Amino acid sequence: HAEVYTEVADGQLCLCFSHNGQGITEAQFQQYIYKKEATGLKNIINRLKVVNGTITFEQEKNWYHTIVRIPL
């Protein structure tokens, strides 16, 4: 099951992608971005830097959340 949620609040666009499949946590993300094979994650980070955006990863029970915030 997957859900996508968008919101504009406090001068920023928030995109939240949630699913109950296999995901990663913020700690795993911090490890992955230093691996040579993580070109997809590095590409996302570089594109977000251009617009001063951020990405975070959270786990809540069996749900994984990827949250992207972009200032407007």
Side-chain angles (χ1 to χ4, degrees), residues 50-61:
V50 171
V51 294
N52 295 318
T54 61
I55 187 168
T56 56
F57 298 87
E58 299 175 1
Q59 180 182 8
E60 178 186 9
K61 297 184 182 178

Side-chain angles (χ1 to χ4, degrees), residues 37-54:
E37 305 84 28
T39 55
L41 287 174
K42 290 175 187 175
N43 189 23
I44 292 168
I45 293 167
N46 288 332
R47 289 173 187 262
L48 285 170
K49 283 181 184 179
V50 171
V51 294
N52 295 318
T54 61

